[in-house]
Amino acid sequence: AQKITQTQPGMFVQEKEAVTLDCTYDTSDQSYGLFWYKQPSSGEMIFLIYQGSYDEQNATEGRYSLNFQKARKSANLVISASQLGDSAMYFCAMRDLSGNTPLVFGKGTRLSVIA
Amino acid sequence: DTGVSQDPRHKITKRGQNVTFRCDPISEHNRLYWYRQTLGQGPEFLTYFQNEAQLEKSRLLSDRFSAERPKGSFSTLEIQRTEQGDSAMYLCASSPPLGPSGGAYNEQFFGPGTRLTVL
C-alpha cells in the first residue's frame, strides 16, 4: 500500500520569499510517480508538478521545483518568490508507474502568503 | 470551457434522501475517477472507470453508493439514504488513454467538485 505524509498542517511565508512544503512517502513499488496539487478555496485541484521515481533530475515548473530524495523517500515542494495568489492548500500525491491506479493523497498543507 | 465539469456545485439534503451527482470529463478522456474529500483531509479514492467499465472500487464505497458511466462519457454518482457522515466534497477527475509505455505521468484533470451537506 502507498502512503503520503505531510507533517505541516499550516505554513506562513512572506511575499517574495521561498518556502518548502514537506512530503514523505511510503511504497513497496519500485517505480512510481509523485505529484503536487494546489487547491484554492474554490475547491478545484490544480496540477503543479510531477516527478518520476526514475528521473535523475529534480523536476521544475516555473516557480515550482521538487526536491526529490529517493533514499529518504521525500518529495518536498519548493515555491520560489511567493505571491499572494499562492495562498491555498497543497497536496502531495503518488501512484504507481503503471498509470492504472488512482492517486493516493496526503492530508495537505495550508500555505498562507503574507504581504 | 473544455475542462472537467461537475453538477451540481453544491447540494444540501436531509438525512435519508437520495442524491445524484454528474461528472462530464474532458472529451476523449477514457479514464474517470471519483474521489471524496472531507474537511481537513486529502481526497480519497472512491471508484474508477475505463470507458464504461468500472474497474476498481474502494472499500469506502458502501452499498449505498453507486456509480455509472453508461456510454463511456459522463458519469453519475448516486448516494442512497444519505447520512451526515456523507457530507464532503465529491471530486471527479479524468485522464487520457495511456501511451504505449503506460506511465505514472498520466495527469488527472480535476473538476470543481460537488459539495454535499447532509442535514
Side-chain angles (χ1 to χ4, degrees), chain B:
Chain B
D1 188 343
T2 57
V4 178
S5 62
Q6 292 186 246
D7 184 69
R9 295 291 307 276
H10 303 272
K11 178 71 176 178
I12 300 174
T13 190
K14 293 182 178 179
R15 189 178 54 181
Q17 297 294 305
N18 299 344
V19 294
T20 300
F21 310 141
R22 176 178 170 128
C23 171
D24 286 88
I26 293 173
S27 178
E28 298 179 357
H29 279 194
N30 66 337
R31 293 160 179 259
L32 187 147
Y33 302 82
W34 285 99
Y35 293 85
R36 181 174 70 183
Q37 185 178 19
T38 54
L39 204 60
Q41 302 292 321
E44 296 174 294
F45 168 71
L46 291 178
T47 190
Y48 150 55
F49 290 86
Q50 180 171 308
N51 300 312
E52 66 275 10
Q54 189 172 19
L55 295 187
E56 191 174 344
K57 292 194 291 186
S58 161
R59 288 172 296 176
L60 293 175
L61 213 66
S62 75
D63 291 344
R64 296 184 297 105
F65 288 70
S66 63
E68 294 182 344
R69 194 183 183 198
K71 296 183 180 179
S73 56
F74 72 92
S75 175
T76 58
L77 177 68
E78 180 182 17
I79 308 174
Q80 296 182 328
R81 304 180 304 280
T82 52
E83 302 172 356
Q84 288 184 326
D86 297 331
S87 295
M89 174 79 88
Y90 290 83
L91 293 165
C92 175
S94 70
S95 61
L98 293 178
S101 57
Y105 185 46
N106 183 248
E107 183 184 340
Q108 293 185 17
F109 296 80
F110 282 81
T114 294
R115 185 172 295 282
L116 173 66
T117 302
V118 181
L119 302 176

Side-chain angles (χ1 to χ4, degrees), chain A residues 9-112:
Chain A
M11 291 282 286
F12 289 89
V13 64
Q14 201 77 31
E15 196 178 8
K16 300 181 185 178
E17 297 293 312
V19 63
T20 298
L21 306 184
D22 294 342
C23 171
T24 58
Y25 61 91
D26 191 21
T27 181
S28 55
D29 294 321
Q30 295 300 309
S31 303
Y32 48 88
L34 296 153
F35 299 77
W36 277 92
Y37 282 84
K38 172 184 178 182
Q39 187 178 42
S41 56
S42 58
E44 188 169 353
M45 300 288 283
I46 301 168
F47 167 74
L48 295 178
I49 194 167
Y50 166 82
Q51 178 85 44
S53 60
Y54 282 113
D55 294 338
E56 294 185 353
Q57 292 194 331
N58 287 341
T60 60
E61 288 287 347
R63 295 187 299 111
Y64 304 108
S65 60
L66 201 152
N67 184 0
F68 180 47
Q69 298 187 46
K70 192 171 182 178
R72 299 179 64 181
K73 292 190 174 180
S74 74
N76 298 339
L77 177 70
V78 181
I79 304 175
S80 62
S82 297
Q83 303 172 355
L84 295 178
D86 294 334
S87 294
M89 286 292 293
Y90 288 80
F91 292 95
C92 182
M94 73 179 303
R95 71 191 299 184
D96 70 27
L97 206 60
S98 73
N100 288 319
T101 56
L103 290 165
V104 174
F105 287 86
K107 290 188 175 183
T109 296
R110 180 171 297 281
L111 177 66
S112 299

